[in-house]
Amino acid sequence: MPLGIFDSGVGGLTVLRALRDELPSESFVYLGDTARLPYGTKSPATVTRYARQAATALAERGIKLLVVACNTASALALDELREQFRNLSVVGVVRPGAEAAAAASVTGRIAVISTESTAAHGAYDREIRRVRPEAHVASRGCPLFVALAEEGWTSGAIAEAVAKEYLADLFGRTREDGRPDCLVLGCTHFPPLRETIRQVVGADVQLVDSAATTAAVVRVELERTGLLAGPDATPRTQLLATDAPERFARVAARFLPSDFIPDEVELVDLS
Ligand code: DGL
């Protein structure tokens, strides 16, 4: 059986890519809820309803593990999903990202950029301070990065101007004044903007995202449950979208290596 993965759009493909690198024998079915993106500006009740519907659609296809490749849904709906799918391992992206940041920061001053809902929920703050209680965490919602990533405008003057506007306050001071030494890209749409963000924050700031650490958590979970695919499995990837599958396929090509893009993206209805 494949692993099921969902996000509001193409952002979670950054996680899918890391999963494929970590687990090359596994099959994947990825759902982008493109009809209802963005999740990051919606209320917890709405995000939870959307997440339940996306997870149900994947579970009905037969999956052996669910990856919530969306920080917003991981922050707001993970407990509900675990409650609903008791027989399935459900892995979110917030805890792996928080643990990676806690390990990467030397000074314990950590900045987190995410969607507005993830920032408002304080999920990263809590998860980072669970492993590093003395850490200072500054969070900020950067919703325009989601639109830039969906549009493919990840570099150039507009992306740079947006990054400066969002990040100047957090990084425009000295270390002595509390400048963070680590920045968490706490939204799966943000890694494609990594180079632009890097130019704004400088080379001395560690940029952390949860893709690779989530993939490592998934491997451990598959090993624990005895569900790891054998070396002679034939891996297959399916992409599903809730709207505009051709557009999804086009944008996905910017996130995934060409040999990994399936021939078509299937349109699904979650309502
Ligand atoms: N990629 C999603 C996340 O990690 C959300 C983007 C959005 O739909 O607002 O939070």
Side-chain angles (χ1 to χ4, degrees):
M1 281 202 285
L3 281 75
I5 304 154
F6 79 88
D7 178 40
S8 58
V10 291
L13 295 174
T14 55
V15 179
L16 175 60
R17 186 176 184 151
L19 284 165
R20 187 193 80 143
D21 291 347
E22 175 73 26
L23 300 160
S25 301
E26 298 294 342
S27 291
F28 303 101
V29 51
Y30 178 99
L31 169 63
D33 193 4
T34 45
R36 306 188 291 193
L37 171 126
Y39 281 12
T41 50
K42 306 228 162 49
S43 68
T46 299
V47 172
T48 302
R49 180 160 53 87
Y50 289 177
R52 279 185 193 279
Q53 289 172 337
T56 302
L58 289 169
E60 281 171 355
R61 285 175 176 249
I63 53 171
K64 61 182 180 181
L65 181 146
L66 177 68
V67 181
V68 183
C70 171
N71 287 267
T72 310
S74 297
L76 273 50
L78 200 65
D79 292 344
E80 285 78 359
L81 292 177
R82 288 196 168 131
E83 181 67 25
Q84 183 178 351
F85 299 97
R86 288 177 182 222
N87 297 328
L88 204 58
S89 299
V90 180
V91 177
V93 287
V94 170
R95 180 167 286 187
E99 288 175 353
S105 172
V106 175
T107 61
R109 293 198 172 268
I110 298 170
V112 182
I113 53 172
S114 65
T115 66
E116 286 170 73
S117 300
T118 304
H121 194 260
Y124 269 97
D125 201 322
R126 264 193 309 283
E127 287 294 338
I128 290 171
R129 289 201 283 119
R130 191 178 54 79
V131 278
R132 225 172 139 174
E134 86 296 356
H136 290 269
V137 183
S139 300
R140 149 132 232 195
C142 302
L144 279 181
F145 282 161
V146 176
L148 289 170
E150 287 281 333
E151 198 59 39
W153 288 10
T154 53
S155 59
I158 294 174
E160 269 170 49
V162 173
K164 276 191 190 133
E165 186 68 30
Y166 280 143
L167 298 167
D169 280 1
L170 284 170
F171 290 92
R173 39 195 159 140
T174 61
R175 279 251 169 121
E176 294 65 42
D177 276 343
R179 184 170 185 267
D181 71 344
C182 176
L183 174 64
V184 183
L185 309 183
C187 172
T188 52
H189 277 76
F190 296 177
L193 288 135
R194 179 180 281 267
E195 286 320 309
T196 301
I197 292 169
R198 156 79 56 225
Q199 278 168 30
V200 174
V201 301
D204 59 335
V205 174
Q206 296 263 7
L207 298 187
V208 169
D209 72 67
S210 43
T213 33
T214 299
V217 169
V218 169
R219 165 180 284 283
V220 170
E221 189 56 20
L222 288 176
E223 281 167 358
R224 188 186 70 79
T225 49
L227 292 173
L228 207 56
D232 30 298
T234 313
R236 184 162 176 253
T237 298
Q238 282 171 277
L239 298 182
L240 319 176
T242 54
D243 194 20
E246 311 76 25
R247 183 175 195 284
F248 185 87
R250 213 171 47 244
V251 181
R254 296 197 205 104
F255 284 72
L256 297 173
S258 55
D259 67 324
F260 190 37
I261 308 272
D263 292 339
E264 60 176 4
V265 176
E266 184 184 328
L267 184 64
V268 292
D269 183 4
L270 300 185
S271 56

